[in-house]
Amino acid sequence: MDHHMIEKYEKLWLYVASALIAILVLVTIGNVVNSAIPSVGNHHDHSLKKVDLTNLAATPFATPGLKQNASGEYELYMLSQAFMFNPPEVKVPAGKPITLYVTSTDVLHGLQIEKTNVNIEVLPGEVAKVTYTFKKPGTYRVGCNEYCGVGHANMMSKLIVEEAK
Ligand SMILES: [Cu+2]
């Protein structure tokens, strides 16, 4: 390799490196711009990411429990609070996807459904969302797995999964 060749390769690498940096900068700017634009309203529930805890009445959390949306899909709204889940007991059908929306009205909680891989962190005012289909009917205990105070161990609720009709 003569001197001339080396320069050629160096130049090539310089171009490649510059192109990579340019892409990185553009992607970063894109992300910043994207996150800076506030989302406008909730056109549908799937964009529900945060709720105003002082005005839960204006959200589906006003009446926690199982609902069916316009498309017939099951949505389960739950509130975590020291030291209970609301609703404390709820019936859901087996074999249908259930989308759980949960938020905390006070401190950090966890929500874990036994016999499933559902295990989520629940932050005050932030809506956690998870979709799960229960295959087997039965009683599934729901517990808090983030220590939240003296009543933590009693923070339990029950999902009663029933054979779909
Ligand atoms: Cu808790």
Side-chain angles (χ1 to χ4, degrees), residues 38-49 69-70 75 77 101:
S39 59
V40 186
N42 282 328
H43 297 294
H44 50 97
D45 289 341
H46 303 283
S47 59
L48 193 72
K49 299 252 171 64
N69 68 15
E75 296 179 342
Y77 289 87
Y101 293 93

Side-chain angles (χ1 to χ4, degrees), residues 11 19 36 39 43 50 53-54 61-63 71 81 91 99 109 114 130 138 143 153 165:
K11 250 185 200 164
S39 59
H43 297 294
K50 283 189 188 240
L53 291 176
T54 61
F61 290 102
T63 51
S71 323
Q81 55 201 89
K91 290 178 177 158
T99 301
H109 293 286
E114 69 167 350
V130 63
K165 284 153 206 154

Side-chain angles (χ1 to χ4, degrees), residues 44-100:
H44 50 97
D45 289 341
H46 303 283
S47 59
L48 193 72
K49 299 252 171 64
K50 283 189 188 240
V51 279
D52 179 1
L53 291 176
T54 61
N55 193 16
L56 276 184
T59 74
F61 290 102
T63 51
L66 189 69
K67 302 166 200 285
Q68 264 182 296
N69 68 15
S71 323
E73 295 153 347
Y74 288 97
E75 296 179 342
L76 175 56
Y77 289 87
M78 279 188 111
L79 287 174
S80 304
Q81 55 201 89
F83 299 101
M84 62 173 290
F85 290 102
N86 186 6
E89 189 176 309
V90 63
K91 290 178 177 158
V92 301
K96 308 264 192 228
I98 311 284
T99 301
L100 171 67

Side-chain angles (χ1 to χ4, degrees), residues 90-131:
V90 63
K91 290 178 177 158
V92 301
K96 308 264 192 228
I98 311 284
T99 301
L100 171 67
Y101 293 93
V102 57
T103 191
S104 163
T105 58
D106 42 41
V107 296
L108 174 72
H109 293 286
L111 186 155
Q112 188 167 12
I113 305 177
E114 69 167 350
K115 299 180 271 188
T116 74
N117 60 359
V118 176
N119 183 354
I120 44 184
E121 200 169 46
V122 187
L123 287 92
E126 305 238 352
V127 181
K129 177 187 170 186
V130 63
T131 300

Side-chain angles (χ1 to χ4, degrees), residues 109 144 146 148 152 155:
H109 293 286
C144 176
E146 293 279 354
C148 54
H152 170 71
M155 192 164 161

